[in-house]
Amino acid sequence: MGATDIQRTVSAVWRIESARLVGAVARMVGGVGMAEEFAQDALLAAMEQWPRDGIPDNPAAWLMTAAKRRAIDHLRRGDLIDRKHAEFARHTPDAHHDADNDTPVDDDRLRLIFIACHPVVPAEGRIALTLRLLGGLTTQEIARAFLSTESTIAQRIVRAKKTLADAHVPFEAPSSDAIAERLPAVLEVVYLIFNEGYSATAGSQLLRPELCEEALRLGRTLAQLLPHKAEVSGLAALMELQASRLRARVDASGAPVLLADQDRSRWDRLLIRRGLIALARALRLSTQRGRYVLQAEIAACHARSLSVDATDWRRVAELYWELLDIDPSPVVELNRAMAVAMAYGAEAGLVIVDHLRGEPALQDYALLAGARGDLLERLGRHDEARTEFERAGALSSNEKEREPMLARARKQPANALVASNRSARIPQ
């Protein structure tokens, strides 16, 4: 195996094992920041030694051993009492130790997730720290994914760690009360990461699949660690079902493809099956459906349908109405409006959309203008539709979303002689 292949192996192992390393070492030293430094030291050692000595039989155990030895050296230099030496030494495996038989890794990962997403850390810091600690992404990769600079992302990570240290957040398994209190923040961060990958807010690409993959991995991990939490399984189901459409959401040029025009044979059936299984588990766990379970049910309505026309749009509209009851939001209402348009006609949907035009939060929301343009086009009100599509294009910060809106504006005829009663086409 050449040096390049070995470096790729090191990177792959690091991406998979970094959360285990940081979590296990953080339990030893009591802090995330220092634990990450020792884990990074182990990574550097692997990059130096593996090309020379070859890849060890158990790369994960090798990295764990290296990271823990550095932690113990640090603790010894701190003149801790002999009892502590012995206690921490018990956590040090030899180089042939099986990583699967190590200390309670699942507990460490659960601690790490809840620390990275602790409410004391601002939302942007939570996202960056989660991707760094749980996703194993470098600062450069995070910056590229969110169209930011490395220095900005680095500052967010540093501030997040400092905030945790200043707040004296302990590295301990969260209690039931702590899980209940922090879980919404954890799920929100994971879903924000997924959404940025599913529909990028800015830049020249609509999709960032690597972010979707990281969010899916985090969601699956949470579902394994918290198997009795309905909303955790609901989020996992939602992301699996939405991710199943990724290959069909853009054409060869990267332009978005509306749900009505997607080739459903390109939807990933394995992800759909995984999503439906996770959704069934969530529904068994609780009769009170939360925001992620309801959204997963909506996604399942699409996943089970062979075409747009075969979709149970009345059921989708009902589910959005239930979602509004527990998560009132003008964006949710906009989605409900488009489902109503599909179920009952464009005019019914337009009534709701027109009411939303007065919402301050949606004044500069490109999707509101695009949705209104779509409904007006269906009703044959092409001059008004052109204006809305032009507005949607002007408001969009993503190039791949902007051009289709402007193209639809250009295609509007000058005068409409026949009004179409066809329902709206929902971009998903």
Side-chain angles (χ1 to χ4, degrees), residues 263-301:
D263 178 359
R264 298 194 176 205
S265 69
R266 300 189 66 203
W267 287 9
D268 191 317
R269 308 313 300 182
L270 174 60
L271 290 180
I272 289 175
R273 285 197 296 274
R274 292 182 66 125
L276 294 177
I277 290 171
L279 175 58
R281 182 171 62 248
L283 292 173
R284 287 196 303 270
L285 288 170
S286 176
T287 57
Q288 294 184 328
R289 295 172 296 183
R291 57 185 295 213
Y292 297 112
V293 174
L294 283 169
Q295 289 180 80
E297 285 199 82
I298 293 168
C301 288

Side-chain angles (χ1 to χ4, degrees), residues 370-384:
R372 189 166 190 270
D374 192 274
L375 297 176
L376 291 167
E377 181 183 56
R378 300 298 167 201
L379 292 168
R381 294 161 60 177
H382 295 286
D383 289 340
E384 295 172 83

Side-chain angles (χ1 to χ4, degrees), residues 129-287:
L129 191 60
T130 299
L131 287 174
R132 179 64 176 267
L133 298 182
L134 277 303
L137 273 65
T138 65
T139 304
Q140 182 183 43
E141 289 171 327
I142 300 171
R144 183 169 63 246
F146 284 91
L147 301 181
S148 187
T149 64
E150 286 189 59
S151 61
T152 298
I153 295 298
Q155 288 171 7
R156 289 177 185 172
I157 293 173
V158 169
R159 283 197 296 267
K161 292 177 184 176
K162 185 176 186 303
T163 299
L164 291 171
D166 292 345
H168 303 290
V169 175
F171 190 84
E172 61 185 15
S175 64
S176 297
D177 289 343
I179 287 177
E181 178 186 3
R182 300 183 200 173
L183 189 57
V186 172
L187 299 182
E188 182 180 15
V189 166
V190 174
Y191 196 39
L192 282 172
I193 293 170
F194 180 86
N195 275 337
E196 184 60 29
Y198 191 76
S199 185
T201 54
S204 59
Q205 299 297 322
L206 179 69
L207 305 179
R208 298 200 180 106
E210 70 281 0
L211 284 180
C212 290
E213 290 169 7
E214 293 300 336
L216 278 169
R217 188 154 67 88
L218 290 169
R220 291 165 185 164
T221 299
L222 278 169
Q224 291 171 356
L225 298 177
L226 299 170
H228 303 301
K229 296 291 183 180
E231 275 293 85
V232 174
S233 292
L235 176 59
L238 172 59
M239 294 191 296
E240 301 278 8
L241 292 168
Q242 287 185 319
S244 71
R245 307 179 209 155
L246 283 173
R247 288 183 300 190
R249 288 197 70 235
V250 294
D251 62 18
S253 68
V257 178
L258 296 174
L259 182 63
D261 300 325
Q262 287 177 17
D263 178 359
R264 298 194 176 205
S265 69
R266 300 189 66 203
W267 287 9
D268 191 317
R269 308 313 300 182
L270 174 60
L271 290 180
I272 289 175
R273 285 197 296 274
R274 292 182 66 125
L276 294 177
I277 290 171
L279 175 58
R281 182 171 62 248
L283 292 173
R284 287 196 303 270
L285 288 170
S286 176
T287 57

